[in-house]
Amino acid sequence: MAFPLQGEDTCQHLLPTPLPNPYWVGFESNLAKELGITVDASGLPQDPRWLEVLSGIALETHEHTFADPIATVYSGHQFGIWAGQLGDGRAILLGDLRGYELQLKGSGITRYSRMGDGRAVLRSSIREFLCSEAMHALGVPTSRALAVTGSKKSVLRESLETAAVCTRLAPSFIRVGHFEHFAAARSTEHLTTMADYLLTHHYPECQGTDDPYLALFAAISERTAKLVAHWQAIGFCHGVLNSDNISILGLTIDYGPFGFLDRFQMDHICNHSDGQGRYAYQRQPQIMHWNMACLAGAMLPLIETRYGSELAQEHLQKTLEEFPEIYRAAWLKHFRTKLGLLTPNPDDTSLVESLLQLMHHNRVDFTNTFRALSHFDASHDARSNPLRDQFLNRDAFDTWMQSYVARLKEEKCSHAERQSHMLATNPKFVLRNYLAQIAIEKAQNDDFSEVKRLLAVLQDPFSEQPGLEEYAAPPPAALEHIEVSCSS
Ligand code: AMP
Ligand code: MG
């Protein structure tokens, strides 16, 4: 088992609670093949026992046995407040497969379920499934999703819904919250075991350094800074950046009330439960920095043993202070490529920021604006660019375009070369909430075809995919304000 900790105070060994009479809602056959699962012509596993395994009914297929499923304990800060003990309340770690841990999310009550029913509803399972694979195709570090199985078993949220299980995968599901838990429990032994495990298996580059634990913290913080820069660059809002939802590997995990920006708003809040906008789009970098401060506090006992308390704090603080700089550099790199600026220029930050301001004030579609800019040929008159009509303030758009065109003239590459970079970084297709909603509503009526179709579109986000333009369209007015919340 990849989870490194043993003992009653770290995890519970248990069996998933079977999902009654399950059926396939979605299955990702490319990932399945990568895992060595034989897939038939319909794209489903040849061995029917996979349906049972991924619904929590059985632990064995022809080729694999998952002998020791567990749920793990962690703690965390929720919306900035220490929440104490949490844990895998509805996700059960089945075991390992080809370098991944397999988790069944929604597979029943565990010791850590608190008041919850251990289940996940169909809509949130489909959203996690689609978004994990969409993010992967966009090149964003993320947990993966292999399948969703559904059932007629009813579960109560705001109304009666049906249960589902999402199978998700990551090289490790260790979270910032795991460190926080064992720091709060004053268990330096468990902290050490976890850090040593991470050094061996996931951060080997830190092992030969002067202080591997400090290097480990720096590496986690760096990955996290780069991750959030990538989110900003594709207009992704996570929705619940509580420290228990932050991967120790710098992956996007725990997809809940996330959202891709349609009309761009810096202060967009995607989670209906986040009244104060703590996790609004423009706050994400700050919040991830804050989460790294939580991690630094939790890792302090590891660093203290070598340096003593005061010096250890100083070292951690110094490393933590590097976060904004790493973030800024990664952010600028993304946005330079998004604008086709291949030779760095010191004025690029203000060019990007003024564009984002303009997009914000004109409420233009985030994804489509960058995609349209990718098609813009600087040798043509910018005033005839159809993108111009998306901006209410055309004068402001013209002014920005003038400086953009002037900047492009400094570039040595050809239009074609620039365009190929831009089209490979500015997606045409992202998982807009309304697209997910359409697939969900069909699935709620037992038609899973749209889940499959949408998944296929999202798996190739940078291609034109002629004939599928409708999937690149901004939401129709009636579907512009779909509310998603922590209820899942
Ligand atoms: P989340 O907001 O999904 O990240 O969940 C926060 C915590 O609540 C985690 O410890 C989850 O395992 C737990 N949780 C959420 N929903 C349920 C549920 N339906 N049953 C049991 N535990 C849950
Ligand atoms: Mg969570």
Side-chain angles (χ1 to χ4, degrees):
M1 175 61 66
F3 187 67
L5 303 178
Q6 301 287 333
E8 280 285 294
D9 58 337
T10 71
C11 65
Q12 178 190 13
H13 298 260
L14 80 175
L15 294 177
T17 308
L19 191 64
N21 304 315
Y23 40 81
W24 294 112
V25 171
F27 189 76
E28 214 298 84
S29 53
N30 296 312
L31 178 56
K33 286 177 205 156
E34 215 184 290
L35 297 171
I37 300 173
T38 311
V39 171
D40 67 18
S42 66
L44 293 171
Q46 210 165 48
D47 180 353
R49 282 192 249 181
W50 274 108
L51 177 60
E52 297 189 346
V53 169
L54 302 187
S55 306
I57 295 170
L59 292 178
E60 263 176 59
T61 67
H62 283 303
E63 285 155 357
H64 299 278
T65 303
F66 298 102
D68 185 19
I70 60 166
T72 72
V73 69
Y74 51 81
S75 292
H77 284 84
Q78 297 185 315
F79 291 90
I81 294 160
W82 177 244
Q85 185 196 299
L86 304 163
D88 296 323
R90 55 174 169 169
I92 294 179
L93 196 56
L94 260 190
D96 303 339
L97 199 54
R98 302 231 173 148
Y100 286 107
E101 289 182 352
L102 255 77
Q103 260 195 1
L104 300 183
K105 182 168 173 179
S107 58
I109 286 178
T110 75
R111 190 192 283 159
Y112 315 111
S113 296
R114 296 175 296 154
M115 306 298 281
D117 59 6
R119 290 299 183 188
V121 296
L122 180 64
R123 71 183 147 80
S124 64
S125 305
I126 291 175
R127 282 169 56 84
E128 176 146 18
F129 174 67
L130 291 174
C131 201
S132 308
E133 292 310 291
M135 293 287 266
H136 173 69
L138 289 166
V140 184
T142 177
S143 57
R144 302 287 307 270
L146 176 64
V148 175
T149 63
S151 164
K152 292 294 168 206
K153 179 187 166 48
S154 54
V155 282
L156 182 64
R157 295 295 181 262
E158 282 76 15
S159 60
L160 266 190
E161 301 190 46
T162 59
V165 170
C166 180
T167 303
R168 56 183 189 175
L169 288 80
S172 168
F173 279 100
I174 295 180
R175 301 143 189 269
V176 169
H178 280 101
F179 277 88
E180 287 182 289
H181 181 80
F182 295 109
R186 304 200 182 282
S187 174
T188 307
E189 193 191 325
H190 286 329
L191 288 176
T192 309
T193 307
M194 220 163 28
D196 289 345
Y197 163 81
L198 289 170
L199 285 169
T200 308
H201 296 279
H202 300 291
Y203 291 92
E205 69 278 14
C206 301
Q207 264 179 325
T209 57
D210 269 359
D211 188 334
Y213 295 143
L214 194 58
L216 176 64
F217 172 68
I220 296 167
S221 183
E222 180 179 340
R223 282 199 199 177
T224 306
K226 289 181 173 167
L227 175 70
V228 64
H230 212 153
W231 290 348
Q232 303 306 95
I234 53 160
F236 174 80
C237 294
H238 180 283
V240 198
L241 292 174
N242 294 339
S243 60
D244 53 299
N245 290 340
I246 309 303
S247 154
I248 214 73
L249 299 185
L251 307 173
T252 316
I253 58 166
D254 275 20
Y255 291 91
F258 64 83
F260 279 89
L261 296 164
D262 296 308
R263 287 180 189 283
F264 183 54
Q265 240 183 302
M266 302 264 193
D267 47 358
H268 176 71
I269 304 166
C270 66
N271 176 0
H272 192 63
S273 316
D274 181 14
Q276 293 188 317
R278 178 178 167 87
Y279 300 137
Y281 171 78
Q282 67 183 0
R283 291 227 175 113
Q284 295 189 121
Q286 251 175 292
I287 287 294
M288 291 305 259
H289 189 197
W290 190 89
N291 281 318
M292 289 302 102
C294 292
L295 179 63
M299 287 181 76
L300 183 62
L302 295 173
I303 322 276
E304 266 176 355
T305 46
R306 169 153 177 196
Y307 295 104
S309 179
E310 212 166 298
L311 200 54
Q313 283 188 41
E314 237 173 72
H315 283 311
L316 280 167
Q317 185 61 32
K318 197 162 157 279
T319 310
L320 194 57
E321 279 166 13
E322 288 162 7
F323 184 101
E325 214 174 296
I326 296 169
Y327 164 75
R328 271 322 264 187
W331 176 90
L332 186 57
K333 194 163 176 227
H334 278 293
F335 276 94
R336 270 190 178 131
T337 319
K338 286 176 82 66
L339 290 180
L341 310 175
L342 308 179
T343 334
N345 172 317
D347 295 333
D348 291 343
T349 302
S350 67
L351 188 69
V352 174
E353 278 174 349
S354 58
L355 172 62
L356 292 175
Q357 281 296 335
L358 188 65
M359 289 169 62
H360 171 84
H361 290 300
N362 288 269
R363 298 281 189 271
V364 291
D365 187 85
F366 184 89
T367 305
N368 290 354
T369 299
F370 283 102
R371 188 73 181 180
L373 282 174
S374 317
H375 288 292
F376 169 64
D377 183 343
S379 64
H380 295 162
D381 182 1
R383 292 169 62 91
S384 62
N385 191 323
L387 178 60
R388 185 174 187 255
D389 293 331
Q390 300 296 316
F391 288 77
L392 278 175
N393 187 343
R394 290 202 178 88
D395 291 343
F397 176 75
D398 291 342
T399 306
W400 186 83
M401 277 308 263
Q402 272 170 13
S403 42
Y404 181 48
V405 170
R407 174 65 183 82
L408 288 182
K409 290 207 171 114
E410 293 168 19
E411 292 284 326
K412 289 183 188 66
C413 67
S414 67
H415 168 62
E417 197 184 332
R418 173 165 58 247
Q419 195 177 46
S420 76
H421 281 275
M422 292 175 76
L423 290 174
T425 196
N426 293 316
K428 179 168 178 177
F429 303 101
V430 294
L431 181 58
R432 296 171 186 272
N433 268 346
Y434 87 94
L435 295 173
Q437 191 58 27
I438 291 170
I440 288 166
E441 283 173 21
K442 286 195 175 162
Q444 285 168 336
N445 290 309
D446 298 322
D447 172 1
F448 308 119
S449 59
E450 189 57 21
V451 172
K452 192 171 179 173
R453 207 171 303 128
L454 184 52
L455 174 66
V457 174
L458 296 170
Q459 282 174 324
D460 194 12
F462 299 109
S463 297
E464 287 303 322
Q465 304 198 46
L468 294 172
E469 281 71 23
E470 61 187 292
Y471 287 95
L479 298 178
E480 207 173 345
H481 302 290
I482 294 168
E483 275 174 10
V484 284
S485 70
C486 284
S487 153
S488 60

